[in-house]
Amino acid sequence: MNTATKLSGFALGLAVLFGATYGVGRVADPVAPPAEAPHEATGGHGNDGGSGHGGDNGATAHLPGGLLVSDRGYTLRPVDAPAGQFAFQVTGPDGRAVTAYDVAHDKRMHLIVARRDLSGFRHVHPEMAPDGTWRVDSPLAGPGVWRAFADFTPTGGEPLTLGVDVTVPGALTGRPLPAPATSTTVDGYTVTLTGAPQPGRTAELTLTVSRGGAPVTDLEPYLGAYGHLVALRQGDLAYLHVHPNGEPGDGRTRPGPEVSFSAEVPSAGAYRLYLDFKHGGVVRTAEFTVVAGSPTAPGVPATTGAPTAGTPAATSSPSADAGHGVPGHGHD
Ligand SMILES: [Cu+2]
């Protein structure tokens, strides 16, 4: 295994990703459980109910969602749009724009965007024209290289998340990933996180919403849930869309203050979590940086979650870790 392929598993950055998108999946395999059953092995990044909304199951079970611009015959294609608008099509196996989509979580199309540095997250819902062109007021809020994720289910097909890079010209400002934290605030709401994601196995993450020191117990359903959680992996923006345990109206799920999720991440390393929740008629997003894997060696997955014998990455000489420890490798 060459150095570039090994490094890609450590979420080092863009230069590696662009050269080795497929390599990410292959490297991740020894970390995640072997895909003995493609529809079960890694398809359930929190989708205990089997909704498969994340597009991370099926034929590409090995690969987290959002890394591919084209998968299973479907391709995400941005199209020219007036200033201030973002537009795209999804073409199908026949090469034509897809016009038939299943509704998932109240919508036929979920468009998530984030800058490559994990800032600027937005989750919006475009409208489709009869020709299959989706349009939305542009969520790309400033210069940078953005990743746009289209999360959808073509009628008759599997759930998919395709991703494409979109550059907004202008002066770039580097934004370091915020430090890991278990509490954050947004618009006067405090959201705390308990639990930590683990590579290759399911972990419960609970987000608790309060305002002014008082628990919020009247969260409003948003897209059929009290919360939507998206996780993006630092370095390649591998995409995980996780739905909460339970849903409004099921007789056991309360509208806050806690929203819990079962999530599984594909590798150790840093992730940015984005929780969308609705209260007072407004959807807000609470963001967290979390590190999956060994707390003593964040971002160095070789020693965690990789019991699989004889994987090339794991059998690298101990000095390999030192070699990875170049300045800027870490995220803390
Ligand atoms: Cu959505």
Side-chain angles (χ1 to χ4, degrees), residues 52-244:
H53 187 50
D56 49 7
N57 58 2
T60 50
H62 308 66
L63 209 55
L67 295 175
L68 302 179
V69 71
S70 184
D71 190 15
R72 283 175 268 177
Y74 294 89
T75 302
L76 175 57
R77 302 179 188 277
V79 301
D80 288 340
Q85 193 179 84
F86 183 70
F88 62 96
Q89 295 182 333
V90 175
T91 56
D94 63 0
R96 296 191 213 177
V98 175
T99 57
Y101 295 83
D102 292 346
V103 172
H105 306 284
D106 288 354
K107 299 289 180 181
R108 290 186 162 79
M109 178 63 68
H110 302 263
L111 180 72
I112 283 86
V113 302
R115 273 194 199 85
R116 278 282 180 186
D117 63 9
L118 295 171
S119 68
F121 177 92
R122 291 283 309 281
H123 176 170
V124 297
H125 300 103
E127 296 289 330
M128 192 186 76
D131 71 351
T133 301
W134 294 92
R135 298 177 191 280
V136 67
D137 289 344
S138 179
L140 308 177
V145 180
W146 293 77
R147 190 70 171 170
F149 302 94
D151 189 335
F152 62 93
T153 303
T155 297
E158 299 276 331
L160 277 174
T161 303
L162 301 178
V164 68
D165 280 347
V166 182
T167 300
V168 177
L172 296 179
T173 304
R175 298 170 189 78
L177 188 66
T182 55
S183 182
T184 189
T185 59
V186 54
D187 284 355
Y189 293 81
T190 298
V191 182
T192 58
L193 168 69
T194 54
Q198 301 294 327
R201 62 188 174 85
T202 300
E204 181 148 322
L205 305 178
T206 299
L207 294 127
T208 305
V209 183
S210 65
R211 185 169 65 165
V216 173
T217 56
D218 55 349
L219 290 174
E220 295 156 12
Y222 171 56
L223 303 174
Y226 289 124
H228 285 262
L229 185 66
V230 167
L232 299 178
R233 180 166 61 182
Q234 185 187 32
D236 64 3
L237 276 67
Y239 170 97
L240 308 174
H241 189 166
V242 185
H243 296 289

